Amino acid sequence: MAGVIDLVLLLFLVTIAYASVRTKNLFEAAMLFGIFSLVSASFFVVLDAVDVAMTEAAVGAGVSTILMLSTLAVTGHKVRPRPVQRNVLAIAVSVLLGAALVYGTLDMPRIGDPDAPVQTHPIARHFIEVSPVETQIPNMVTPLLASYRGYDTLGETAVVFTAGIGVLALIGRRRRRDGTPVEAGEGVDAMQDRHRVLRIVGKQLIPAILLYACYVQAHGDFGPGGGFQAGVIFASALMLFMLLVGIDEAEKVIKPKVLEKLIALGLLIYGCTGLLTVLKGGAFLDYKVLAHDPIHGLHYGILAVELGVGITVTAVITTIIFTFAGHMRGRQKLVAPATDGTVVTTDGGAL
């Protein structure tokens, strides 16, 4: 049965990929990419990689799709005509890259092969056999990421932090010299009078999404989840809130200045947890010294660093969304109704 599901999902992925390549409408391509990510998340669930599926669904189908649609709102939906020579070059590069990727998978073992290195390697067996006993944490992924690979996860958190700072440095929020955002408070938010059903239903979903994100954050040591997954789910709820009420109303609740500080706070919590273990006489990120009982100390340390990861991931993703939305603020404003009954936006367009 699992093989049939895998085959069906694979056919869906191939069909969606082909449709996204064939379409000339960039809006359709963006939506197809989101569907591709959602089907990929289902594929990961079938493969028992629920942690990866959560991240793929939230980032791939949610955040990335919104960013692409935000970009298309500025650039347009149609593909510009290109010289035939460029199309041939692009096709050649894509074919060569695809062939290289397929060639790289030829020597990979089959899924579920008992003789695969991941099943027989001594290190893998060590973690499978020793991790539950040594950490007393049922979810094996959590101690691997937060304890055994603590340095690596700290580096990944630093990469997310750098991405957020890079977006702020390259794009930044549009401000006047006195520090106030451009177009802040001007006009009436278009979402206030449009899509009332969507707004009402969406507002009912936001508390449930936030509560689920907190559950994933706190329950990551016993089930799928952790800081990365909780962060992207939490950010998805905040992004939905911004889409429903508009950026001006969202900024009254979610202060961009606070988000910018939270980007650094999460990484600081992670690093300070490691420094605390050093001050207590242990190695960096050796959580066992945080309590008299080594097991309790390990749990405290993992909860602390996972909290830091969740804060940074949430703040970075939300900041990126706010940054892109800030540059489109003028397109979301209604200036005045035209004589023919249409509503004219600040960029001269009509809704």
Side-chain angles (χ1 to χ4, degrees):
M1 184 64 182
V4 176
I5 296 176
D6 293 343
L7 181 60
V8 172
L9 291 176
L10 182 60
L11 290 176
F12 268 120
L13 291 175
V14 173
T15 304
I16 296 169
Y18 177 77
S20 63
V21 172
R22 291 289 300 172
T23 182
K24 299 296 183 181
N25 190 300
L26 296 179
F27 177 82
E28 294 178 3
M31 298 305 297
L32 287 171
F33 288 153
I35 297 173
F36 187 92
S37 296
L38 192 60
V39 176
S40 298
S42 304
F43 205 9
F44 292 140
V45 172
V46 174
L47 297 176
D48 292 332
V50 183
D51 302 73
V52 182
M54 290 181 181
T55 307
E56 178 65 28
V59 176
V63 177
S64 298
T65 303
I66 293 300
L67 290 177
M68 285 189 287
L69 294 179
S70 301
T71 304
L72 292 180
V74 179
T75 60
H77 295 176
K78 296 295 183 179
V79 179
R80 293 182 179 179
R82 299 178 59 186
V84 178
Q85 295 81 356
R86 290 188 180 182
N87 290 335
V88 173
L89 179 61
I91 293 174
V93 172
S94 300
V95 170
L96 290 176
L97 179 60
L101 293 175
V102 171
Y103 177 76
T105 63
L106 294 179
D107 59 345
M108 291 180 62
R110 296 180 59 186
I111 297 177
D113 186 358
D115 297 325
V118 70
Q119 310 287 352
T120 59
H121 199 281
I123 295 180
R125 284 195 170 186
H126 171 79
F127 285 130
I128 293 173
E129 296 172 359
V130 175
S131 174
V133 178
E134 190 174 54
T135 64
Q136 296 185 12
I137 295 178
N139 182 17
M140 196 178 306
V141 177
T142 298
L144 283 175
L145 294 178
S147 180
Y148 296 117
R149 289 180 52 227
Y151 284 92
D152 183 46
T153 305
L154 176 60
E156 293 175 356
T157 308
V159 170
V160 176
F161 166 82
T162 305
I165 297 301
V167 170
L168 290 175
L170 294 174
I171 302 177
R173 298 181 64 235
R174 300 177 63 192
R175 294 180 179 275
R176 299 185 179 94
R177 290 187 177 181
D178 60 359
T180 59
V182 176
E183 295 127 357
E186 297 178 2
V188 180
D189 195 333
M191 285 297 294
Q192 296 298 324
D193 296 320
R194 301 176 64 196
H195 311 300
R196 291 183 181 273
V197 174
L198 179 62
R199 292 178 62 238
I200 294 173
V201 174
K203 286 183 177 181
Q204 303 302 317
L205 293 175
I206 290 174
I209 297 174
L210 293 175
L211 181 62
Y212 180 65
C214 294
Y215 170 81
V216 171
Q217 175 75 57
H219 202 258
D221 50 347
F222 290 95
F228 284 105
Q229 290 77 17
V232 296
I233 295 172
F234 208 95
S236 299
L238 299 181
M239 179 183 65
L240 177 60
F241 178 74
M242 187 200 70
L243 292 174
L244 293 176
V245 304
I247 185 171
D248 282 340
E249 293 297 323
E251 285 184 347
K252 295 178 182 178
V253 179
I254 312 166
K255 303 294 185 181
K257 289 185 177 180
V258 176
L259 288 174
E260 294 171 6
K261 293 179 174 61
L262 291 178
I263 292 176
L265 177 63
L267 184 61
L268 188 64
I269 292 175
Y270 202 128
C272 288
T273 303
L275 292 178
L276 182 60
T277 61
V278 174
L279 294 176
K280 282 186 165 290
F284 187 73
L285 296 179
D286 181 12
Y287 313 126
K288 295 179 180 179
V289 300
L290 295 178
H292 295 293
D293 188 341
I295 298 298
H296 290 173
L298 180 67
H299 290 191
Y300 297 153
I302 290 177
L303 288 175
V305 299
E306 289 284 4
L307 177 62
V309 172
I311 291 174
T312 294
V313 171
T314 300
V316 167
I317 294 179
T318 309
T319 298
I320 292 175
I321 297 295
F322 268 91
T323 302
F324 272 80
H327 285 266
M328 297 178 57
R329 191 193 304 265
R331 294 176 178 268
Q332 297 178 351
K333 301 300 177 182
L334 302 179
V335 177
T339 56
D340 60 353
T342 60
V343 178
V344 181
T345 62
T346 54
D347 63 346
L351 299 179

